Structures are given as structure tokens and as C-alpha cells.
């Protein structure tokens, strides 16, 4: 038999786990902080714009000027809403990327430890245990392959979602711009 759980190995594994959890927590808190700052700035900007827009609309001399002013104020408001949405998406995407990198590193470390453990087990295994060792090696290889496939699929989905968000926001801004231009005529 062999001893892989020396106190040093156990302490190192615990330290690595704590470090990974701290990194994960810091990533989540930084993301929450950025979202909170964005929300505060957006709320402040909306309040200021709302007051300015209300004053401008109250200064309209007739209904035609009121509606023309209202139409001209719609596009900047929509553009700000789209910018806000993009910012939230970017913060979320960056956080997801950082968390994915952390998880990939953790899985890679786990995989290396398993391979080392299997190598030790193979060297010290009693005769006739080749089938069991090979089954475990096969399971580790299958898990690695599944993780890699899942990771690639998740990245593809994220890329498609990002492209769709960009296309949808651009189309929305163009549509509102065309509507505002048609209303002015």
C-alpha cells in the first residue's frame, strides 16, 4: 500500500481550496460592486434626464411642439438604456470568464492529481488489478473529455449570445432612430 495523504499534501490541498474559494468570492464581490456602481450612476443620470426632459416638455408652446420634443427625447433615452444593458452584459460576461478560468484551473489540478495517483496505484498495484486501474483511467479520460466538450459548448453559446445581444441592440437603436426621424417629418 502507499500513503498519498501526508499532512503536507492535506495542508496544501486545503490551502489551494481556500485560495480558490477566496478568488471566487472576490470575483463575485467585484462584479456585484461594479453592478451596484452602474445602477447608482444610471439612476442618477435617469433622474437628471427626467427633470431636464420634464422642464423642456413643460416649456412647449403647443401640442405639436410637445409631441415633437417628446419624440426627440425618446432616442437618447433608448440609447442610454441600451448602453446600460450592454454594460450589465459585459460585467456578467467578464465575471463568467474569470469564474470559468478558475474552474478550469481547479479541474486541471484535480486531473493532474488523479493521473499521479493512478500512476502510483499502477506501480504498487497487486497482480491482476490491471482491469480496475484501466477502468479508472478510462473514467478519468471520459470525464476530462466531457469537461472539455462542455467548456467548448459553453463558450460557443456565450459567443452566440454576445453576437445576438449586439445585433438586437443595434437593430433597436436603428428602429427607434427611424421612428423618431419619421415622427419629426
Amino acid at each position: 500500500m502507499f500513503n498519498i495523504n501526508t499532512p503536507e499534501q492535506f495542508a496544501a490541498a486545503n490551502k489551494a481550496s481556500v485560495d480558490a474559494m477566496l478568488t471566487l468570492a472576490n470575483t463575485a464581490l467585484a462584479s456585484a460592486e461594479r453592478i451596484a456602481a452602474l445602477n447608482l450612476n444610471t439612476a442618477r443620470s435617469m433622474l437628471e434626464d427626467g427633470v431636464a426632459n420634464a422642464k423642456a416638455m413643460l416649456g412647449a408652446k403647443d401640442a405639436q411642439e410637445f409631441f415633437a420634443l417628446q419624440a426627440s427625447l425618446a432616442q437618447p433615452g433608448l440609447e442610454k438604456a441600451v448602453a446600460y444593458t450592454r454594460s450589465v452584459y459585459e460585467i456578467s460576461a467578464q465575471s463568467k470568464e474569470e469564474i470559468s478560468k478558475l474552474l478550469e484551473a481547479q479541474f486541471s489540478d484535480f486531473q493532474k492529481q488523479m493521473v499521479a495517483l493512478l500512476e502510483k496505484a499502477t506501480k504498487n498495484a497487486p497482480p491482476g488489478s490491471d482491469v480496475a486501474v484501466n477502468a479508472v483511467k478510462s473514467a478519468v479520460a471520459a470525464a476530462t473529455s466531457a469537461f472539455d466538450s462542455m467548456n467548448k459548448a459553453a463558450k460557443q453559446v456565450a459567443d452566440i449570445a454576445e453576437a445576438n445581444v449586439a445585433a438586437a441592440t443595434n437593430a433597436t437603436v436603428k428602429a427607434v432612430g427611424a421612428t423618431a426621424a419619421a415622427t419629426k417629418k
Side-chain angles (χ1 to χ4, degrees), residues 117-180:
L117 176 64
L118 285 173
E119 290 302 317
K120 281 184 179 181
T122 301
K123 289 178 185 175
N124 297 323
S129 62
D130 295 347
V131 174
V133 171
N134 287 335
V136 173
K137 283 183 179 180
S138 177
V140 169
T144 300
S145 177
F147 182 79
D148 290 343
S149 296
M150 184 180 69
N151 214 7
K152 287 177 187 175
K155 286 180 182 180
Q156 288 175 343
V157 168
D159 290 344
I160 290 169
E162 188 172 340
N164 287 342
V165 166
T169 54
N170 290 336
T172 302
V173 169
K174 285 180 184 177
V176 169
T179 303

Side-chain angles (χ1 to χ4, degrees), residues 4-174:
I4 60 162
N5 290 321
T6 64
E8 294 83 20
Q9 289 173 320
F10 185 71
N14 281 338
K15 183 185 180 315
S17 294
V18 168
D19 288 345
M21 287 299 156
L22 283 174
T23 302
L24 185 62
N26 285 332
T27 299
L29 288 173
S31 178
E33 185 178 339
R34 290 175 62 201
I35 294 278
L38 176 66
N39 286 341
L40 250 149
N41 291 333
T42 301
R44 182 179 295 119
S45 176
M46 287 177 61
L47 179 64
E48 291 168 356
D49 290 349
V51 169
N53 292 347
K55 285 180 181 179
M57 291 174 71
L58 288 173
K61 295 179 177 99
D62 58 23
Q64 185 176 2
E65 183 181 346
F66 177 83
F67 290 120
L69 186 58
Q70 185 180 27
S72 70
L73 296 175
Q75 174 124 9
L78 180 66
E79 288 172 355
K80 287 181 181 183
V82 167
Y84 170 80
T85 303
R86 282 182 183 160
S87 295
V88 168
Y89 180 80
E90 287 170 7
I91 291 169
S92 299
Q94 288 170 355
S95 295
K96 182 207 74 74
E97 185 67 28
E98 290 175 27
I99 290 169
S100 292
K101 285 179 184 178
L102 176 66
L103 292 176
E104 286 174 18
Q106 288 294 311
F107 185 78
S108 177
D109 288 346
F110 172 74
Q111 182 183 11
K112 288 175 188 173
Q113 290 172 2
M114 286 298 296
V115 168
L117 176 64
L118 285 173
E119 290 302 317
K120 281 184 179 181
T122 301
K123 289 178 185 175
N124 297 323
S129 62
D130 295 347
V131 174
V133 171
N134 287 335
V136 173
K137 283 183 179 180
S138 177
V140 169
T144 300
S145 177
F147 182 79
D148 290 343
S149 296
M150 184 180 69
N151 214 7
K152 287 177 187 175
K155 286 180 182 180
Q156 288 175 343
V157 168
D159 290 344
I160 290 169
E162 188 172 340
N164 287 342
V165 166
T169 54
N170 290 336
T172 302
V173 169
K174 285 180 184 177

